[in-house]
Amino acid sequence: MTTLPIVWAPDPILKTKCAHVTFIGEEEKQLMKDMLDTMYAAPGVGLAAPQVGITKRIIVVDCARTNEPAAPYQMVNPELIKSSMDELTNEEGCLSLPGHYADVSRPATARVKYIDENGCQQIIDTDGLLAVCIQHEIDHINGILFVDHLSSLKRNMILKKMVKAKKER
Ligand code: NI
């Protein structure tokens, strides 16, 4: 098991629009395994490659409840191809902003296209926590954090606290 160090905001890596992955080789497969290990250890329900310093369009998520079997998704080049007009408001957090939480509204359902760890294209329809989580992670690979959905006042307050937390890390 390998856990990778998690990049904390503010950091230019977390503001980067990540590159499309054109080939899924051993390096990418290992990265996704390590990202899952890192996410479970944190613990968290999602992690995007830029959070471990890699600016590639790769995310992992597992929104299974504690009494349910693990349900990991490893997604390369994930893309929202359809989302609902109705929104769901959920309290979000982020492993790159530890200890900070805020309500964010997003489309309640989302159709997601991605390439899985075996190189196969998949399309899934998601709702609930899984839809929220995948949209949060896709934001990451576009250089967007959940605090970017908040007012600048709230965002700056959290980021200021993060600057201090990073110094004390
Ligand atoms: Ni996050």
Side-chain angles (χ1 to χ4, degrees):
M1 187 178 120
T2 309
T3 59
L4 307 166
I6 295 175
V7 177
W8 283 6
D11 190 297
I13 288 176
L14 298 174
K15 304 256 74 180
T16 304
K17 191 167 161 65
C18 297
H20 274 271
V21 176
T22 52
F23 176 74
I24 303 172
E26 281 314 308
E27 198 184 317
E28 288 73 22
K29 288 183 185 178
Q30 189 60 49
L31 172 65
M32 289 191 275
K33 276 187 197 150
D34 293 346
M35 283 171 62
L36 277 174
D37 286 345
T38 305
M39 180 190 82
Y40 288 130
V45 292
L47 190 68
Q51 294 182 276
V52 292
I54 310 285
T55 52
K56 288 180 179 174
R57 304 185 77 80
I58 293 176
I59 67 171
V60 297
V61 301
D62 186 341
C63 292
R65 290 168 203 278
T66 39
N67 57 341
E68 289 173 352
Y73 286 94
Q74 301 172 56
M75 301 183 163
V76 175
N77 300 333
E79 206 182 320
L80 283 183
I81 54 174
K82 199 177 158 190
S83 51
S84 61
M85 292 295 286
D86 56 313
E87 296 196 324
L88 185 69
T89 302
N90 200 62
E91 190 180 59
E92 295 190 22
C94 181
L95 295 176
S96 293
L97 295 134
H100 297 284
Y101 303 90
D103 280 348
V104 177
S105 296
R106 300 180 184 275
T109 65
R111 180 168 293 169
V112 185
K113 185 170 109 179
Y114 66 98
I115 301 166
D116 70 16
E117 63 276 23
N118 301 311
C120 301
Q121 194 187 90
Q122 305 284 354
I123 293 176
I124 55 167
D125 285 307
T126 64
D127 59 13
L129 185 58
L130 185 61
V132 168
C133 187
I134 290 173
Q135 291 177 78
H136 174 119
E137 301 311 327
I138 291 177
D139 267 0
H140 270 300
I141 57 174
N142 289 321
I144 299 164
L145 297 173
F146 83 85
V147 289
D148 294 320
H149 293 278
L150 310 178
S151 68
S152 58
L153 187 75
K154 274 191 197 165
R155 176 170 58 249
N156 291 336
M157 206 169 70
I158 292 174
L159 290 176
K160 226 169 157 179
K161 286 183 183 159
M162 283 304 304
V163 169
K164 193 162 170 268
K166 282 182 82 168
K167 280 186 192 152
E168 292 164 0
R169 194 180 188 179

